Amino acid sequence: MPISHYQCSQCERKFEPGSVTYTCLTCGGNLDTHFSFEDDPSQVHQSEILESKETSLWRYAPLLAVPDPGFENTPLHRVGLTPIYQPEKLREELGLRTLFVKDESCNPSASFKDRASAIVISRAIEANIDTIIAASTGNAGAAMACMAASVGKRAIILAPRSAPPAKIAQLLTFGAEVILVDGSYDDAFDLSISASNEFGWYNRNTGYNPYTVEGKKTAGLEIWEQVIRFLPAESDLNVFIPVGDGNILSGVAKGFVDLLALGWIKKLPRLIGVQAEGSSAIYNAFIQKRNQIEPVIASTVADSISVDLPRDGLRALNRVRQSSGFFITVTDQQILAAIPQLGSAGLFVEPAAAAAYAGLLHALKSNQIDPATPALVLATGSGLKDINAAMRSVHPAPIIEPSLDKLKEVLRV
């Protein structure tokens, strides 16, 4: 779908397509991408999507900022359309009427970040760009490395040296050029922008490149197709999203905003951003009713949402307010406890994904949501991304001699 214009999410200045690459030239704010279907919804028909045989995010090509690049038999064409589960055991334990969990671990690199990378890499294909650089704590880099490798593009990843080894292993295995930065994610972010400006490389950073939101909005489109259109017309939906720099929430919200413009939904689902207590810059602004994000010194077991200065914080803050939602924080203890709780329903998630479920638990306990309202948890990444955190969340397995007596003793049978 042709882009009609970009608009700054802060100062609202508009830009013609091709006149800007990353952020607002006036204030540096993040850009929202706008399409002609917003003025003429008849350009896109629901049936075109709902009757599509495509089983990836490319089924939404009529609503995307880049055309389907092909590469049907590669990971680039296997991103999205992830499953939504209804774990009855958890629903009953929580006393909810309806519970959905969207499992993003089924993406090619096992995280939500494949969505943004698929669109960014497709943009690189469209623009004949060979080298893409990004800062990442692991998941975004792994996603970009995976997508880049599948189509023969060069990927350079700057990651903090504290990133989990399993994520670094993914980056290296996909053939990316990985440089570990002796500093934070924010340090890596700033360095990647400097390198991009110096060498002319295309920058994939979330909260910087507007195509990342366009990739992440596909989760919102899927939630509509898989859940919202089957709910009663008057029904609300509480959507729990883990938040670090804010870009995932902004992306999911953009999907809902586009659907609202098309008239396919009548109101926005209620967005609930979940931050780790040790990385709560956006939550702080929400609670203090500020329109400015003050940086924190982030420290949390959930590395994927550990951010000092959220690069898409203001837009995420505004999207939550627009949806009549709220932000909530959870402790590392609550995050770790949520890992085996989801595991009891057959879902193996990393700490950031567990944070969203911990946020649901906290919101219920504090009476911030109605148990009768359907709730959806966005589980953003596989537990295989951070085995150390998974092991911290459970009791270690006993070691016994290979005898039936010892087995009986341990199992108490």
Side-chain angles (χ1 to χ4, degrees), residues 1-6 15-17 33-36 64-66 211:
M1 174 62 63
I3 296 171
S4 64
H5 65 279
Y6 298 104
F15 297 90
E16 292 298 315
T33 306
H34 291 271
F35 300 89
S36 56
L64 300 182
V66 292
Y211 283 86

Side-chain angles (χ1 to χ4, degrees), residues 89-96 99 357 360-361 364 371:
K89 178 179 182 293
L90 298 181
R91 183 193 65 76
E92 291 175 1
E93 289 175 355
L94 300 180
L96 288 168
L99 173 63
Y357 185 72
L360 168 62
L361 300 182
L364 281 168

Side-chain angles (χ1 to χ4, degrees), residues 141-217:
M144 192 184 83
C146 176
M147 297 300 113
S150 72
V151 298
K153 296 291 183 183
R154 182 189 183 196
I156 301 171
I157 313 295
L158 306 183
R161 63 181 300 182
S162 60
K167 295 183 179 182
I168 300 303
Q170 269 194 304
L171 298 173
L172 295 170
T173 302
F174 288 135
E177 296 171 55
V178 181
I179 296 93
L180 299 181
V181 176
D182 191 9
S184 67
Y185 165 76
D186 299 85
D187 295 325
F189 188 103
D190 292 337
L191 180 58
S192 75
I193 292 177
S194 296
S196 182
N197 292 334
E198 178 73 16
F199 304 114
W201 297 332
Y202 192 45
N203 197 298
R204 178 242 182 263
N205 283 356
T206 55
Y208 186 66
N209 187 321
Y211 283 86
T212 60
V213 158
E214 287 302 301
K216 293 176 182 182
K217 84 176 184 183

